[in-house]
Amino acid sequence: MKKIAFTLCATFIALSTMAQGTLQERMQGNPKIDSLVSVVQALGGSAQVSYDYHGRLHKTVHITCRLMNDFQPTPPTGDPKKDAQNLKIDSIRKEQNERTNGIYNAVRNTCKSITDDATESYTWEYHRGGVDSVRYTIALGEYESGDTLKTWQRQREVLYDGAPEIITFRYDPMAGNNENPWIPKGLGFFSYEYTPDSVGRQMKELVPFNKAAYTSLLQPILKQQGIATRQFNVYCDTTYTFKEVKWNDNDDFVIHQKTLTPLQPKSETKGTVYTMHSRALADSVLSQLIQTTWAFLEDNPGICFRFMPHTTYGLRTMSELFENLDYRRALGFYHIYLHCIDDQEFNIVVVEGTGDMIVPMEWLILKSWKNGKVVYDKKRMKALTPKQARNSTSGHRFTQTRQYEPID
Protein backbone atom coordinates (compact mmCIF):
# COMPACT_ATOMS: atom_id res chain seq x y z
CA MET A 1 0.00 0.00 0.00
CA LYS A 2 2.85 2.36 0.88
CA LYS A 3 4.53 1.52 -2.42
CA ILE A 4 1.35 2.37 -4.35
CA ALA A 5 0.97 5.63 -2.46
CA PHE A 6 4.58 6.54 -3.18
CA THR A 7 4.13 5.75 -6.88
CA LEU A 8 1.00 7.89 -7.08
CA CYS A 9 2.78 10.75 -5.32
CA ALA A 10 5.75 10.56 -7.69
CA THR A 11 3.40 10.48 -10.68
CA PHE A 12 1.54 13.53 -9.39
CA ILE A 13 4.79 15.47 -8.96
CA ALA A 14 5.94 14.52 -12.46
CA LEU A 15 2.62 15.57 -14.00
CA SER A 16 2.70 18.84 -12.08
CA THR A 17 6.18 19.57 -13.41
CA MET A 18 5.08 18.76 -16.96
CA ALA A 19 2.07 21.05 -16.57
CA GLN A 20 4.37 23.91 -15.68
CA GLY A 21 6.24 23.40 -18.95
CA THR A 22 9.90 24.02 -19.69
CA LEU A 23 11.75 26.99 -18.23
CA GLN A 24 11.56 28.78 -21.56
CA GLU A 25 7.79 28.24 -21.71
CA ARG A 26 7.31 29.41 -18.12
CA MET A 27 9.20 32.61 -18.88
CA GLN A 28 7.49 33.35 -22.20
CA GLY A 29 4.87 35.75 -20.89
CA ASN A 30 2.37 37.45 -23.20
CA PRO A 31 2.40 36.16 -26.83
CA LYS A 32 1.39 39.63 -28.05
CA ILE A 33 4.68 40.96 -26.72
CA ASP A 34 6.59 38.24 -28.58
CA SER A 35 4.74 39.25 -31.76
CA LEU A 36 5.68 42.88 -31.15
CA VAL A 37 9.35 41.95 -30.73
CA SER A 38 9.25 40.07 -34.06
CA VAL A 39 7.69 43.06 -35.84
CA VAL A 40 10.23 45.49 -34.38
CA GLN A 41 13.16 43.29 -35.38
CA ALA A 42 11.72 42.78 -38.89
CA LEU A 43 11.56 46.57 -39.29
CA GLY A 44 15.22 46.90 -38.29
CA GLY A 45 14.58 48.08 -34.74
CA SER A 46 16.09 46.86 -31.50
CA ALA A 47 14.06 44.99 -28.90
CA GLN A 48 16.09 44.08 -25.83
CA VAL A 49 14.76 40.87 -24.28
CA SER A 50 16.18 39.70 -20.98
CA TYR A 51 15.47 36.72 -18.72
CA ASP A 52 16.77 36.61 -15.17
CA TYR A 53 16.35 34.72 -11.94
CA HIS A 54 17.28 35.74 -8.42
CA GLY A 55 14.70 33.87 -6.41
CA ARG A 56 11.89 34.72 -8.87
CA LEU A 57 11.67 34.26 -12.63
CA HIS A 58 11.60 37.58 -14.44
CA LYS A 59 11.39 38.64 -18.11
CA THR A 60 11.84 42.16 -19.43
CA VAL A 61 11.43 43.69 -22.88
CA HIS A 62 12.67 47.19 -23.68
CA ILE A 63 11.99 48.97 -26.97
CA THR A 64 12.96 52.50 -27.98
CA CYS A 65 10.98 53.99 -30.84
CA ARG A 66 10.91 57.26 -32.77
CA LEU A 67 8.35 59.19 -34.74
CA MET A 68 9.73 61.07 -37.74
CA ASN A 69 8.48 64.26 -39.36
CA ASP A 70 6.15 63.74 -42.33
CA PHE A 71 8.10 62.86 -45.45
CA GLN A 72 8.40 65.65 -47.99
CA PRO A 73 10.36 65.04 -51.21
CA THR A 74 13.12 67.47 -52.13
CA PRO A 75 11.87 70.05 -54.73
CA PRO A 76 13.45 69.80 -58.20
CA THR A 77 16.51 71.99 -58.75
CA GLY A 78 16.64 71.85 -62.53
CA ASP A 79 20.04 70.18 -62.38
CA PRO A 80 19.67 66.53 -63.54
CA LYS A 81 22.72 65.41 -61.58
CA LYS A 82 21.57 67.01 -58.32
CA ASP A 83 17.98 65.85 -58.84
CA ALA A 84 19.15 62.25 -59.33
CA GLN A 85 21.22 62.47 -56.14
CA ASN A 86 18.31 63.99 -54.20
CA LEU A 87 15.98 61.29 -55.50
CA LYS A 88 18.31 58.63 -54.11
CA ILE A 89 18.56 60.40 -50.74
CA ASP A 90 14.77 60.85 -50.63
CA SER A 91 14.30 57.13 -51.24
CA ILE A 92 16.53 56.30 -48.25
CA ARG A 93 14.81 58.89 -46.08
CA LYS A 94 11.34 57.66 -47.03
CA GLU A 95 12.24 54.06 -46.20
CA GLN A 96 13.73 55.18 -42.87
CA ASN A 97 10.54 57.08 -42.03
CA GLU A 98 8.36 54.11 -42.87
CA ARG A 99 10.45 51.78 -40.69
CA THR A 100 10.72 54.06 -37.66
CA ASN A 101 7.07 55.12 -37.81
CA GLY A 102 6.10 51.49 -38.29
CA ILE A 103 7.85 50.55 -35.02
CA TYR A 104 6.07 53.38 -33.17
CA ASN A 105 2.69 52.30 -34.57
CA ALA A 106 3.34 48.64 -33.68
CA VAL A 107 4.16 49.56 -30.07
CA ARG A 108 1.15 51.83 -29.71
CA ASN A 109 -1.26 49.37 -31.35
CA THR A 110 0.00 46.56 -29.12
CA CYS A 111 -0.67 48.68 -26.03
CA LYS A 112 -4.19 49.44 -27.31
CA SER A 113 -4.99 45.78 -27.95
CA ILE A 114 -3.66 44.61 -24.58
CA THR A 115 -5.66 47.26 -22.70
CA ASP A 116 -8.85 45.29 -23.42
CA ASP A 117 -7.49 42.39 -21.31
CA ALA A 118 -6.09 44.53 -18.50
CA THR A 119 -6.78 44.08 -14.81
CA GLU A 120 -6.22 47.80 -14.53
CA SER A 121 -4.92 50.33 -17.05
CA TYR A 122 -4.22 54.02 -17.54
CA THR A 123 -4.15 55.81 -20.89
CA TRP A 124 -3.49 59.46 -21.67
CA GLU A 125 -2.87 60.96 -25.11
CA TYR A 126 -2.40 64.56 -26.21
CA HIS A 127 -2.40 65.56 -29.88
CA ARG A 128 -2.36 69.13 -31.04
CA GLY A 129 -0.67 70.93 -33.94
CA GLY A 130 1.51 67.95 -34.81
CA VAL A 131 2.69 67.57 -31.19
CA ASP A 132 2.01 64.23 -29.53
CA SER A 133 2.36 62.91 -25.99
CA VAL A 134 1.29 59.37 -25.08
CA ARG A 135 1.12 57.42 -21.80
CA TYR A 136 0.13 53.78 -21.35
CA THR A 137 0.40 51.88 -18.07
CA ILE A 138 -1.16 48.42 -18.00
CA ALA A 139 -1.39 45.68 -15.36
CA LEU A 140 -2.37 42.17 -16.46
CA GLY A 141 -3.45 39.23 -14.30
CA GLU A 142 -3.22 38.79 -10.56
CA TYR A 143 -1.34 36.52 -8.20
CA GLU A 144 -2.93 33.59 -6.35
CA SER A 145 -2.24 35.34 -3.06
CA GLY A 146 -4.97 37.85 -3.89
CA ASP A 147 -5.09 41.58 -4.58
CA THR A 148 -1.45 42.72 -4.51
CA LEU A 149 -1.70 45.49 -7.13
CA LYS A 150 -0.32 48.85 -6.01
CA THR A 151 -0.78 52.14 -7.85
CA TRP A 152 1.22 55.36 -7.76
CA GLN A 153 0.13 58.49 -9.62
CA ARG A 154 1.72 61.90 -10.00
CA GLN A 155 0.11 64.28 -12.47
CA ARG A 156 0.10 62.42 -15.82
CA GLU A 157 2.36 59.59 -14.65
CA VAL A 158 0.96 56.30 -13.29
CA LEU A 159 2.97 53.30 -12.11
CA TYR A 160 1.78 49.82 -11.18
CA ASP A 161 3.42 47.15 -9.05
CA GLY A 162 2.33 43.74 -7.78
CA ALA A 163 0.96 42.15 -10.99
CA PRO A 164 2.36 39.28 -13.10
CA GLU A 165 2.56 41.53 -16.19
CA ILE A 166 3.18 45.27 -16.24
CA ILE A 167 3.50 47.38 -19.40
CA THR A 168 4.51 51.01 -19.66
CA PHE A 169 4.87 53.19 -22.75
CA ARG A 170 5.86 56.81 -22.66
CA TYR A 171 6.22 59.00 -25.76
CA ASP A 172 7.12 62.71 -25.74
CA PRO A 173 8.01 65.25 -28.45
CA MET A 174 11.59 66.40 -28.81
CA ALA A 175 12.10 70.00 -27.74
CA GLY A 176 13.23 72.39 -30.45
CA ASN A 177 12.44 70.12 -33.39
CA ASN A 178 12.50 72.29 -36.50
CA GLU A 179 11.03 69.70 -38.86
CA ASN A 180 14.48 68.48 -39.88
CA PRO A 181 13.78 65.42 -42.06
CA TRP A 182 16.62 63.44 -40.45
CA ILE A 183 15.77 64.19 -36.82
CA PRO A 184 12.84 62.48 -35.03
CA LYS A 185 10.09 64.70 -33.75
CA GLY A 186 9.62 62.50 -30.70
CA LEU A 187 10.96 59.52 -28.74
CA GLY A 188 9.10 56.67 -27.09
CA PHE A 189 10.16 54.13 -24.47
CA PHE A 190 8.31 50.81 -24.05
CA SER A 191 8.81 48.40 -21.16
CA TYR A 192 7.31 44.98 -20.43
CA GLU A 193 7.88 43.24 -17.08
CA TYR A 194 6.76 39.64 -16.52
CA THR A 195 7.10 38.05 -13.09
CA PRO A 196 4.92 34.90 -12.94
CA ASP A 197 5.50 34.15 -9.24
CA SER A 198 4.60 36.50 -6.39
CA VAL A 199 6.89 34.72 -3.92
CA GLY A 200 10.35 33.47 -4.72
CA ARG A 201 12.98 31.28 -3.12
CA GLN A 202 14.83 32.53 -0.09
CA MET A 203 18.54 33.28 -0.41
CA LYS A 204 19.54 30.09 1.43
CA GLU A 205 17.58 28.01 -1.11
CA LEU A 206 19.41 29.37 -4.15
CA VAL A 207 21.88 27.10 -5.92
CA PRO A 208 25.53 28.03 -6.66
CA PHE A 209 26.48 28.53 -10.30
CA ASN A 210 28.23 25.42 -11.66
CA LYS A 211 30.71 27.08 -14.02
CA ALA A 212 32.54 23.83 -14.79
CA ALA A 213 29.34 22.11 -15.95
CA TYR A 214 28.29 25.09 -18.06
CA THR A 215 31.66 25.61 -19.75
CA SER A 216 31.95 21.89 -20.51
CA LEU A 217 28.74 22.22 -22.57
CA LEU A 218 30.01 25.30 -24.40
CA GLN A 219 33.48 24.07 -25.33
CA PRO A 220 32.41 21.68 -28.15
CA ILE A 221 30.51 24.59 -29.72
CA LEU A 222 33.35 27.09 -29.39
CA LYS A 223 36.03 24.69 -30.65
CA GLN A 224 34.46 24.10 -34.06
CA GLN A 225 36.53 24.47 -37.20
CA GLY A 226 36.73 28.10 -38.34
CA ILE A 227 36.90 29.57 -34.83
CA ALA A 228 40.16 31.17 -33.67
CA THR A 229 40.88 31.58 -29.95
CA ARG A 230 43.00 34.09 -28.03
CA GLN A 231 43.13 35.45 -24.48
CA PHE A 232 43.82 38.70 -22.68
CA ASN A 233 44.52 39.21 -18.98
CA VAL A 234 43.90 42.23 -16.77
CA TYR A 235 45.39 42.82 -13.33
CA CYS A 236 44.75 45.81 -11.07
CA ASP A 237 45.56 46.54 -7.45
CA THR A 238 45.52 49.50 -5.07
CA THR A 239 48.67 51.01 -6.63
CA TYR A 240 46.61 52.05 -9.66
CA THR A 241 44.19 54.99 -9.46
CA PHE A 242 41.26 55.24 -11.86
CA LYS A 243 40.66 58.77 -13.10
CA GLU A 244 37.31 60.34 -12.35
CA VAL A 245 35.10 60.24 -15.44
CA LYS A 246 32.62 63.08 -15.83
CA TRP A 247 29.32 62.76 -17.63
CA ASN A 248 30.73 64.09 -20.93
CA ASP A 249 34.00 62.13 -20.75
CA ASN A 250 34.77 58.66 -22.04
CA ASP A 251 36.51 56.08 -19.95
CA ASP A 252 39.45 53.95 -21.04
CA PHE A 253 37.39 50.85 -20.32
CA VAL A 254 34.51 49.23 -22.13
CA ILE A 255 33.52 47.65 -18.82
CA HIS A 256 34.49 48.53 -15.27
CA GLN A 257 32.18 46.94 -12.73
CA LYS A 258 33.18 47.28 -9.11
CA THR A 259 32.62 44.52 -6.60
CA LEU A 260 30.15 44.86 -3.81
CA THR A 261 31.61 45.98 -0.50
CA PRO A 262 34.08 45.30 0.91
CA LEU A 263 36.31 46.47 -1.94
CA GLN A 264 39.09 44.07 -2.80
CA PRO A 265 42.83 44.91 -2.79
CA LYS A 266 43.31 43.37 -6.24
CA SER A 267 41.27 42.39 -9.27
CA GLU A 268 41.96 39.87 -12.02
CA THR A 269 40.03 39.52 -15.27
CA LYS A 270 40.57 36.88 -17.94
CA GLY A 271 39.01 37.31 -21.35
CA THR A 272 38.79 34.48 -23.89
CA VAL A 273 37.91 35.66 -27.38
CA TYR A 274 36.45 33.29 -29.98
CA THR A 275 36.66 34.88 -33.44
CA MET A 276 34.85 33.94 -36.66
CA HIS A 277 34.89 35.52 -40.12
CA SER A 278 31.86 33.73 -41.53
CA ARG A 279 28.37 35.11 -40.94
CA ALA A 280 26.84 31.65 -41.46
CA LEU A 281 29.18 30.07 -38.89
CA ALA A 282 28.68 32.94 -36.42
CA ASP A 283 24.89 32.68 -36.63
CA SER A 284 25.03 28.90 -36.22
CA VAL A 285 27.32 29.15 -33.18
CA LEU A 286 25.09 31.81 -31.58
CA SER A 287 22.01 29.63 -32.10
CA GLN A 288 23.79 26.65 -30.51
CA LEU A 289 24.91 28.78 -27.55
CA ILE A 290 21.35 29.94 -26.93
CA GLN A 291 19.87 26.44 -27.13
CA THR A 292 22.60 25.01 -24.89
CA THR A 293 22.15 27.79 -22.31
CA TRP A 294 18.39 27.19 -22.14
CA ALA A 295 19.05 23.46 -21.63
CA PHE A 296 21.62 24.16 -18.89
CA LEU A 297 19.26 26.50 -17.04
CA GLU A 298 16.48 23.93 -17.36
CA ASP A 299 18.68 21.21 -15.84
CA ASN A 300 20.06 23.46 -13.09
CA PRO A 301 17.08 25.16 -11.42
CA GLY A 302 17.74 27.62 -8.64
CA ILE A 303 20.92 29.28 -9.99
CA CYS A 304 20.91 33.07 -10.33
CA PHE A 305 21.38 34.32 -13.89
CA ARG A 306 20.66 36.94 -16.52
CA PHE A 307 20.20 35.63 -20.07
CA MET A 308 19.72 37.83 -23.15
CA PRO A 309 19.33 35.60 -26.23
CA HIS A 310 20.24 38.14 -28.92
CA THR A 311 19.55 37.37 -32.57
CA THR A 312 22.57 39.41 -33.74
CA TYR A 313 26.06 40.34 -32.58
CA GLY A 314 26.73 43.75 -31.03
CA LEU A 315 28.13 46.25 -33.55
CA ARG A 316 30.91 48.42 -32.08
CA THR A 317 29.85 47.46 -28.59
CA MET A 318 29.76 44.37 -26.36
CA SER A 319 26.26 42.92 -26.04
CA GLU A 320 25.77 40.69 -23.03
CA LEU A 321 24.48 37.18 -23.67
CA PHE A 322 24.80 35.55 -20.23
CA GLU A 323 25.77 36.56 -16.70
CA ASN A 324 26.07 34.69 -13.44
CA LEU A 325 24.06 36.67 -10.86
CA ASP A 326 25.08 34.85 -7.70
CA TYR A 327 25.57 37.92 -5.52
CA ARG A 328 26.64 35.82 -2.54
CA ARG A 329 29.85 35.23 -4.50
CA ALA A 330 30.36 38.88 -5.37
CA LEU A 331 34.13 38.46 -5.63
CA GLY A 332 33.80 36.18 -8.66
CA PHE A 333 32.12 36.90 -12.01
CA TYR A 334 31.33 35.13 -15.28
CA HIS A 335 29.92 36.82 -18.39
CA ILE A 336 29.53 36.07 -22.09
CA TYR A 337 29.46 38.95 -24.60
CA LEU A 338 28.84 39.27 -28.35
CA HIS A 339 30.67 41.69 -30.64
CA CYS A 340 31.22 42.21 -34.37
CA ILE A 341 33.19 44.50 -36.69
CA ASP A 342 31.38 45.63 -39.86
CA ASP A 343 29.76 42.25 -40.44
CA GLN A 344 33.22 40.82 -41.17
CA GLU A 345 34.52 39.70 -37.79
CA PHE A 346 32.33 38.09 -35.13
CA ASN A 347 33.53 37.67 -31.55
CA ILE A 348 32.22 35.73 -28.58
CA VAL A 349 33.99 36.98 -25.45
CA VAL A 350 33.96 35.03 -22.18
CA VAL A 351 34.96 37.33 -19.31
CA GLU A 352 35.64 35.82 -15.89
CA GLY A 353 37.68 36.56 -12.79
CA THR A 354 37.65 37.98 -9.27
CA GLY A 355 37.31 41.45 -7.78
CA ASP A 356 36.42 44.30 -10.15
CA MET A 357 35.57 43.28 -13.71
CA ILE A 358 37.79 45.38 -15.98
CA VAL A 359 37.82 45.23 -19.79
CA PRO A 360 40.04 47.89 -21.44
CA MET A 361 38.89 49.64 -24.59
CA GLU A 362 41.64 47.97 -26.62
CA TRP A 363 40.72 44.38 -25.72
CA LEU A 364 40.58 43.47 -29.43
CA ILE A 365 44.38 43.69 -29.66
CA LEU A 366 45.27 43.27 -26.00
CA LYS A 367 47.50 40.59 -24.57
CA SER A 368 47.72 41.96 -21.04
CA TRP A 369 46.97 45.05 -18.94
CA LYS A 370 48.62 45.44 -15.55
CA ASN A 371 48.03 48.59 -13.52
CA GLY A 372 47.90 50.68 -16.68
CA LYS A 373 50.85 49.01 -18.43
CA VAL A 374 49.84 47.41 -21.72
CA VAL A 375 51.22 44.54 -23.79
CA TYR A 376 49.64 44.23 -27.24
CA ASP A 377 49.05 41.06 -29.24
CA LYS A 378 51.44 41.62 -32.16
CA LYS A 379 49.56 39.23 -34.44
CA ARG A 380 46.29 41.09 -33.89
CA MET A 381 48.01 44.43 -34.44
CA LYS A 382 48.69 43.43 -38.03
CA ALA A 383 44.94 43.79 -38.62
CA LEU A 384 44.05 46.64 -36.23
CA THR A 385 45.82 49.68 -34.84
CA PRO A 386 45.12 50.73 -31.22
CA LYS A 387 42.92 53.58 -32.49
CA GLN A 388 40.94 51.22 -34.75
CA ALA A 389 40.55 48.76 -31.88
CA ARG A 390 39.17 51.49 -29.62
CA ASN A 391 36.79 52.76 -32.30
CA SER A 392 35.57 49.20 -32.92
CA THR A 393 34.70 48.57 -29.27
CA SER A 394 33.69 51.96 -27.91
CA GLY A 395 30.08 51.95 -29.05
CA HIS A 396 28.85 55.39 -30.06
CA ARG A 397 31.57 57.47 -28.44
CA PHE A 398 32.95 60.55 -30.12
CA THR A 399 36.09 61.21 -28.08
CA GLN A 400 38.59 58.86 -26.54
CA THR A 401 40.94 59.61 -23.68
CA ARG A 402 43.97 57.66 -22.50
CA GLN A 403 45.60 57.14 -19.18
CA TYR A 404 47.76 54.09 -19.71
CA GLU A 405 50.79 53.45 -21.89
CA PRO A 406 52.08 50.47 -23.87
CA ILE A 407 55.22 48.71 -22.63
CA ASP A 408 55.60 46.49 -25.71
Side-chain angles (χ1 to χ4, degrees):
M1 186 67 179
K2 290 182 179 180
K3 184 176 181 180
I4 296 175
F6 176 79
T7 303
L8 290 174
C9 181
T11 303
F12 175 76
I13 294 173
L15 290 174
S16 298
T17 303
M18 291 175 62
Q20 293 176 352
T22 65
L23 174 65
Q24 190 172 358
E25 291 171 343
R26 296 198 304 275
M27 298 189 76
Q28 179 182 5
N30 199 309
K32 290 185 178 180
I33 302 300
D34 291 338
S35 298
L36 172 62
V37 169
S38 298
V39 170
V40 170
Q41 292 175 342
L43 290 171
S46 175
Q48 187 181 76
V49 183
S50 174
Y51 304 88
D52 61 79
Y53 178 81
H54 197 258
R56 291 198 298 171
L57 297 175
H58 186 63
K59 174 183 179 179
T60 61
V61 178
H62 296 293
I63 299 171
T64 301
C65 60
R66 301 173 294 168
L67 195 58
M68 304 298 292
N69 289 298
D70 294 337
F71 173 77
Q72 298 292 337
T74 305
T77 64
D79 184 333
K81 187 176 181 179
K82 287 185 178 179
D83 287 344
Q85 185 179 12
N86 289 338
L87 185 64
K88 185 177 181 179
I89 295 174
D90 284 349
S91 175
I92 296 173
R93 184 160 55 89
K94 184 179 181 181
E95 182 183 3
Q96 175 183 310
N97 280 23
E98 291 174 350
R99 286 178 177 272
T100 54
N101 292 353
I103 293 172
Y104 168 84
N105 291 329
V107 170
R108 188 176 165 202
N109 291 337
T110 298
C111 290
K112 284 184 176 181
S113 67
I114 290 178
T115 300
D116 296 336
D117 303 322
T119 304
E120 189 171 323
S121 66
Y122 169 82
T123 303
W124 178 78
E125 297 195 17
Y126 173 84
H127 309 280
R128 184 177 181 181
V131 177
D132 306 294
S133 292
V134 178
R135 299 287 188 275
Y136 278 92
T137 309
I138 306 168
L140 293 169
E142 60 182 25
Y143 292 118
E144 294 181 358
S145 55
D147 185 10
T148 58
L149 184 64
K150 298 179 181 179
T151 305
W152 290 270
Q153 182 168 5
R154 183 180 179 184
Q155 297 178 345
R156 299 294 184 184
E157 306 296 335
V158 172
L159 295 176
Y160 292 136
D161 187 28
E165 298 179 78
I166 296 176
I167 296 169
T168 58
F169 177 51
R170 174 175 179 168
Y171 172 86
D172 289 300
M174 290 185 64
N177 183 283
N178 59 357
E179 298 187 0
N180 186 313
W182 297 100
I183 299 178
K185 64 180 182 180
L187 294 175
F189 301 94
F190 172 89
S191 172
Y192 172 73
E193 305 278 342
Y194 176 55
T195 312
D197 303 315
S198 60
V199 179
R201 292 191 183 190
Q202 296 181 2
M203 183 67 72
K204 62 182 180 181
E205 298 176 313
L206 301 179
V207 179
F209 173 59
N210 191 339
K211 185 175 74 171
Y214 184 50
T215 55
S216 68
L217 296 174
L218 300 186
Q219 282 307 301
I221 301 173
L222 297 174
K223 288 187 176 181
Q224 297 180 65
Q225 185 175 0
I227 303 177
T229 306
R230 51 173 289 269
Q231 290 186 343
F232 63 86
N233 294 281
V234 177
Y235 174 88
C236 183
D237 58 33
T238 54
T239 64
Y240 181 81
T241 302
F242 290 91
K243 74 178 189 328
E244 182 180 354
V245 181
K246 299 180 180 179
W247 71 271
N248 58 345
D249 289 341
N250 290 294
D251 208 339
D252 289 309
F253 307 97
V254 181
I255 302 170
H256 180 202
Q257 292 185 4
K258 294 184 179 181
T259 55
L260 302 177
T261 54
L263 297 178
Q264 300 305 302
K266 67 176 182 179
S267 302
E268 296 182 80
T269 300
K270 182 181 78 171
T272 306
V273 186
Y274 301 90
T275 301
M276 297 156 283
H277 293 92
S278 164
R279 160 64 78 175
L281 176 60
D283 288 344
S284 174
V285 168
L286 178 55
S287 177
Q288 294 173 59
L289 286 178
I290 291 173
Q291 294 175 14
T292 300
T293 300
W294 275 123
F296 170 77
L297 296 174
E298 179 73 38
D299 294 338
N300 294 268
I303 68 169
C304 300
F305 67 88
R306 177 178 292 117
F307 181 37
M308 303 175 69
H310 298 279
T311 56
T312 59
Y313 288 72
L315 179 62
R316 293 188 63 206
T317 187
M318 297 175 73
S319 299
E320 189 170 55
L321 178 71
F322 178 82
E323 175 186 359
N324 165 33
L325 285 182
D326 192 349
Y327 295 128
R328 295 172 303 169
R329 293 158 180 78
L331 304 185
F333 52 85
Y334 183 91
H335 299 248
I336 300 177
Y337 294 94
L338 306 174
H339 171 269
C340 76
I341 304 177
D342 299 329
D343 207 34
Q344 296 179 358
E345 177 178 298
F346 305 88
N347 296 303
I348 295 169
V349 190
V350 177
V351 181
E352 54 190 311
T354 57
D356 291 2
M357 182 170 69
I358 304 170
V359 180
M361 194 79 74
E362 297 173 357
W363 64 267
L364 271 170
I365 58 171
L366 199 64
K367 189 173 183 180
S368 69
W369 185 101
K370 184 175 182 179
N371 288 332
K373 302 298 183 180
V374 180
V375 177
Y376 291 122
D377 186 319
K378 294 181 179 180
K379 184 177 180 181
R380 283 292 293 170
M381 287 191 71
K382 293 179 180 179
L384 292 169
T385 66
K387 182 178 180 180
Q388 289 173 329
R390 294 171 70 84
N391 291 338
S392 297
T393 63
S394 60
H396 300 289
R397 291 180 170 90
F398 298 98
T399 60
Q400 285 114 28
T401 57
R402 292 190 62 87
Q403 71 172 27
Y404 51 78
E405 59 188 56
I407 60 176
D408 186 14

